[in-house]
Amino acid sequence: MPGALRRESGMRGRRVLIAVLAVAVATMGAAAGADAKKKKKKKVVAVTKSAAVPFGSNSAVTGSAACAGKTHMTGGGYAISPSFTPPSTGLRSSAVSNHAAGSKSWTTGAGAFVNPSASGSLTSYVRCEGNNAGQLVVTGSSTVSYDPGVGGNSVLNCPPGTHV
């Protein structure tokens, strides 16, 4: 009888252990499922939009990219493709303008030298943020001139309680 009693209590212990493990696994699975649901509901706060215009040697072009719907512009920029690679390939160009155009778009402009002969594109980019993520308080514009071959910084400060 003592052997049977030991087997009975050993079986009961195994059943309890198996039940505890099953509950633990189910709990971890439910927690992982809840985390997965939370991740799916997270919305993208900002997106980048772009617009390209054809660009060739001995020409000047302008382009603009715009935010759509219930979004506003938070920044922007441009790219020229193919870029100039010395001594003689790509578009040898100079940016003429690169700035915000209102609260929803970014405008850029560039001019290309006659040589080397090349064609490509000027692509304007705008970073768009949902209106529910914040408000556009101020748009700033600044011009800085640099001597050829010299770089520098342009510093803009945000009003108190705001961010870029």
Side-chain angles (χ1 to χ4, degrees), residues 15-79:
R15 286 185 194 137
V16 169
L17 179 59
I18 290 170
V20 167
L21 288 174
V23 169
V25 168
T27 303
M28 288 186 332
D35 287 344
K37 286 180 184 176
K38 286 180 184 175
K39 288 180 184 176
K40 288 180 184 176
K41 290 182 181 178
K42 189 174 182 179
K43 292 183 178 181
V44 176
V45 175
V47 297
T48 301
K49 301 281 187 171
S50 64
V53 293
F55 189 29
S57 298
N58 196 30
S59 68
V61 296
T62 59
S64 185
C67 298
K70 296 180 180 181
T71 62
H72 59 270
M73 173 275 310
T74 61
Y78 71 97

Side-chain angles (χ1 to χ4, degrees), residues 55-60 91-92 111-118:
F55 189 29
S57 298
N58 196 30
S59 68
L91 279 164
R92 192 170 65 163
F113 292 86
V114 174
N115 290 317
S117 180

Side-chain angles (χ1 to χ4, degrees), residues 72-74 103 129-138 161-164:
H72 59 270
M73 173 275 310
T74 61
S103 64
E129 176 182 80
N131 291 342
N132 60 352
Q135 294 181 17
L136 187 61
V137 176
V138 174
T162 65
H163 68 278
V164 173

Side-chain angles (χ1 to χ4, degrees), residues 76-154:
Y78 71 97
I80 296 172
S81 174
S83 59
F84 180 65
T85 306
S88 61
T89 61
L91 279 164
R92 192 170 65 163
S93 60
S94 176
V96 176
S97 63
N98 181 32
H99 59 87
S103 64
K104 294 184 80 68
S105 63
W106 195 267
T107 297
T108 59
F113 292 86
V114 174
N115 290 317
S117 180
S119 62
S121 63
L122 167 69
T123 304
S124 303
Y125 295 94
V126 65
R127 188 73 173 161
C128 305
E129 176 182 80
N131 291 342
N132 60 352
Q135 294 181 17
L136 187 61
V137 176
V138 174
T139 56
S141 181
S142 177
T143 301
V144 178
S145 297
Y146 298 108
D147 292 329
V150 177
N153 295 318
S154 182

